[in-house]
């Protein structure tokens, strides 16, 4: 450990860190643009200049390592004038378009101009005009005249994805960021350059001009688009009475951005996960209970009919069930306990596999909770055995628990086997293909509409958080199960909230033993760590 003095305050910091890293680690804010903890150090923005006693001039804090006994000044007259000069230089050719810029509200250039700028510029010559709203890939638009040349996006493409689509072109005040000819920014992680951009130069096509960031309600949760389980923040539009823009008058998901978790996804997410919320809105939602499909029914009546079908089929030994691998572990356990209580039920878990694993984050296994399903239902529980049982006429009543993220990923009966199933009981958030011929349809909450836990492919247990209220009559899967169990005469624990179901998981699933909502935390814990592990 190194002992340093910062603005008269003695601090003890880790050896090997730069001044900027050391000060940020103890909560001492130093303005910076080009530095990012997930990228190499460039030291080109000069915003992080500080004074170190005995040094001949101001030093770049993001580049200079700390040394024992170092005396640092971060807010004296010399440093303040340097920051003013840097801000004045960066704003020379920057357009004054904050009111129409998508980055407004979370723009470091805007924030630092207020905090460290001069308030006026001595530059009165015409500004250099560059290209605006240039599509450089399927998801990213570039406003060249807003760019401050921090090089974060260039370093990301060089160092993280290794695709090197972006570079600086021309020289001096004509320097611009751009893509190489015939090489658009279309790698699977292209949206991360938008998160990295500290100004409004790079914007996401799908979010551009959709809403203002100060209207968003942010919720920390986990992506279930694949088995990686990336940590994300979901931005929801907040309903306000006086808003006049139609796109803001709802509680739909507006964007998904990465949330740092060193053990899972570090600072990044893939484009498929970033835009997975679009799949929530691509399929028609099941708004209320139906019995049969297409005919609205009261909730109690639909539950009674569904419970009767399930109980009769289980008694006859002809009941099968297929569940989605994206359900929360709490919902999976609830369905397992119900089906075990009914007895004689064949259970299969969907296998969602597309593409290949890559070296960064993407997994071919698209089941966000496949590992949790393996822990709860067993590794041998697959949909293939249900199909075989249907073909052998051993299953005549089928329970399908639909996918909470994408209706097209819900189990559908092959045409050749459809005639061998006498009745389908469906529980899910979407009006998926299998629901069109169901005897009973019960709406459940979608991915962003309930709390719970999931397990990624490495066995890390993580928390999902409800971002907004369920659609229509939808409710968490465990609550649907609780109602079905009561109607079918199956005894279940007296659950009243998600934490109660988690307690049942801790009792029945060894990997969850000793864990509760708080001990899992916002960064998750490896399965089997018990109550002693407290992360996040």
């Amino acid at each position: 450990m190194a002992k340093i003095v910062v603005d008269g305050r003695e601090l003890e910091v880790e050896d090997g860190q730069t001044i900027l890293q050391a000060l940020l680690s103890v909560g001492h804010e130093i303005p910076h643009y080009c530095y990012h903890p997930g990228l190499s150090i460039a030291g080109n923005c000069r915003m992080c200049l500080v004074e170190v006693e005995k040094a001949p001039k101001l030093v770049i804090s993001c580049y200079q390592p700390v040394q024992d006994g170092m005396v640092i000044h971060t807010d004296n007259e010399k440093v303040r004038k340097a920051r003013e000069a840097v801000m004045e230089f960066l704003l020379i050719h920057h357009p004054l378009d904050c009111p129409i810029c998508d980055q407004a509200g979370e723009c470091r250039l805007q924030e630092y101009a207020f905090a460290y700028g001069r308030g006026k510029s001595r530059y009165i010559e015409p500004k250099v005009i560059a290209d605006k709203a240039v599509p450089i890939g399927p998801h990213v638009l570039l406003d060249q005249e807003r760019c401050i040349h921090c090089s974060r996006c260039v370093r990301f493409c060089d160092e993280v994805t290794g695709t090197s689509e972006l570079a600086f072109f021309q020289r001096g005040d004509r320097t611009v960021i751009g893509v190489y000819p015939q090489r658009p920014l279309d790698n699977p992680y292209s949206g991360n350059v938008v998160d990295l951009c500290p100004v409004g130069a790079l914007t996401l096509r799908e979010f551009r001009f959709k809403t203002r960031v100060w209207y968003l309600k942010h919720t920390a949760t986990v992506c279930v688009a694949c088995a990686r389980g990336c940590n994300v923040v979901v931005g929801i539009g907040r309903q306000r009475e006086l808003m006049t823009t139609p796109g803001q008058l709802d509680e739909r998901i507006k964007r998904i951005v990465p949330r740092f978790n060193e053990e899972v996804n570090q600072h990044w997410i893939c484009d498929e996960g970033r835009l997975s919320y679009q799949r929530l809105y691509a399929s028609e939602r099941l708004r209320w209970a139906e019995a049969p499909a297409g005919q609205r029914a009261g909730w109690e009546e639909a539950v009674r009919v569904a419970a009767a079908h399930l109980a009769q089929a289980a008694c006859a030994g002809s009941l099968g069930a297929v569940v989605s691998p994206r359900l929360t572990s709490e919902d999976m356990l609830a369905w397992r306990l119900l089906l075990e209580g009914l007895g004689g039920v064949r259970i299969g878990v969907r296998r969602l596999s597309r593409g290949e694993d890559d070296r960064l984050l993407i997994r071919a296994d698209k089941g966000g909770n496949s590992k949790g399903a393996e822990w709860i239902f067993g590794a041998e529980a697959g949909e293939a055995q249900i199909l075989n049982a249907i073909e052998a006429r051993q299953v005549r009543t089928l329970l399908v628990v639909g996918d909470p993220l994408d209706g097209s990923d819900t189990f559908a009966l092959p045409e050749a086997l459809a005639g061998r199933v006498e009745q389908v009981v469906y529980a899910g958030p979407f009006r998926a293909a299998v629901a069109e011929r169901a005897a009973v349809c019960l709406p459940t909450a979608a991915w962003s509409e309930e709390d719970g836990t999931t397990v990624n492919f490495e066995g890390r247990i993580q928390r999902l958080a409800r971002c907004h209220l369920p659609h229509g009559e939808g409710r968490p899967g465990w609550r649907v199960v609780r109602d079905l169990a009561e109607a079918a005469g199956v005894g279940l624990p007296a659950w009243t909230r998600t934490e109660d179901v988690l307690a049942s998981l801790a009792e029945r699933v060894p990997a969850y033993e000793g864990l509760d909502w708080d001990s899992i935390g916002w960064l998750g814990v490896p399965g089997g760590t018990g109550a002693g592990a407290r992360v996040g």
Side-chain angles (χ1 to χ4, degrees), residues 91 93-100 127:
L91 292 169
H93 298 298
H94 196 87
L96 299 177
D97 62 352
C98 293
I100 62 167
K127 292 178 180 284

Side-chain angles (χ1 to χ4, degrees), residues 56-308:
K57 57 183 179 181
L58 297 181
V59 302
I60 306 168
S61 66
C62 71
Y63 200 85
Q64 179 68 42
V66 294
Q67 296 178 3
D68 193 55
M70 184 177 276
V71 179
I72 304 166
H73 301 281
T74 69
D75 195 31
N76 60 17
E77 185 67 19
K78 194 174 181 180
V79 172
R80 285 194 292 270
K81 285 191 174 184
R83 289 173 182 166
E84 287 180 359
V86 171
M87 285 304 306
E88 186 178 15
F89 177 77
L90 292 176
L91 292 169
I92 281 177
H93 298 298
H94 196 87
L96 299 177
D97 62 352
C98 293
I100 62 167
C101 178
D102 253 14
Q103 194 75 4
E106 54 185 6
C107 174
R108 287 197 177 182
L109 191 68
Q110 192 179 58
E111 294 167 1
Y112 291 168
F114 279 101
Y116 306 107
R118 290 169 51 90
K120 59 182 179 180
S121 175
R122 293 167 290 180
Y123 186 84
I124 60 173
E125 287 75 15
K127 292 178 180 284
V128 172
I129 304 301
D131 293 334
K132 294 185 68 66
V134 180
I136 59 174
H139 304 298
V140 180
L141 295 175
L142 168 64
D143 286 87
Q144 289 179 330
E145 61 186 17
R146 293 177 183 164
C147 179
I148 61 171
H149 307 151
C150 70
S151 78
R152 282 184 172 190
C153 57
V154 176
R155 283 177 283 150
F156 174 81
C157 293
D158 287 345
E159 300 165 9
V160 180
T161 65
T163 49
S164 300
E165 299 98 336
L166 291 167
F168 288 113
F169 297 92
Q170 302 186 54
R171 302 186 67 180
D173 64 358
R174 306 287 167 167
T175 301
V176 293
I177 288 284
V179 292
Y180 289 102
Q182 309 303 315
R183 289 185 62 184
L185 182 64
D186 62 354
N187 69 68
Y189 300 90
S190 65
N192 288 285
V193 301
V194 177
D195 306 322
L196 286 169
C197 185
V199 294
L202 295 170
T203 51
L204 195 71
R205 187 191 300 266
E206 289 79 6
F207 180 67
R208 188 177 172 96
F209 300 142
K210 291 296 189 294
T211 188
R212 286 299 196 179
V213 296
W214 51 81
Y215 291 142
L216 295 178
K217 179 184 72 174
H218 295 103
T219 303
T221 186
V222 173
C223 175
V224 297
C226 83
R228 173 70 60 176
C230 291
N231 289 219
V232 297
V233 175
V234 175
I236 303 291
R238 292 190 300 179
Q239 188 170 352
R240 287 173 175 267
E241 295 178 0
L242 299 180
M243 284 185 186
T244 57
T245 305
Q248 296 171 351
L249 290 171
D250 60 60
E251 291 187 340
R252 292 163 68 94
I253 297 175
K254 301 298 184 181
R255 70 173 182 182
I256 297 176
V257 295
R259 176 167 59 93
F260 176 71
N261 188 329
E262 188 174 6
E263 300 298 327
V264 182
N265 57 304
Q266 297 187 358
H267 303 273
W268 325 118
I269 55 173
C270 70
D271 290 347
E272 182 180 356
R274 182 185 299 275
L275 301 175
S276 60
Y277 68 92
Q278 295 180 335
R279 295 152 69 181
L280 280 172
Y281 306 124
S283 301
E284 182 184 357
R285 292 296 297 268
L286 182 63
R287 293 181 56 84
W288 45 67
E290 297 178 358
Q295 182 175 323
R296 183 171 181 175
W299 180 263
E300 292 78 9
E301 175 63 15
V303 166
R304 185 189 63 78
V305 173

Side-chain angles (χ1 to χ4, degrees), residues 309-319 342-344 346 394 396-397:
H309 287 321
L310 297 177
Q312 291 169 9
C315 185
S318 61
L319 176 60
L342 291 172
R346 297 172 176 84
Q394 296 171 338
R396 292 187 174 85
T397 297

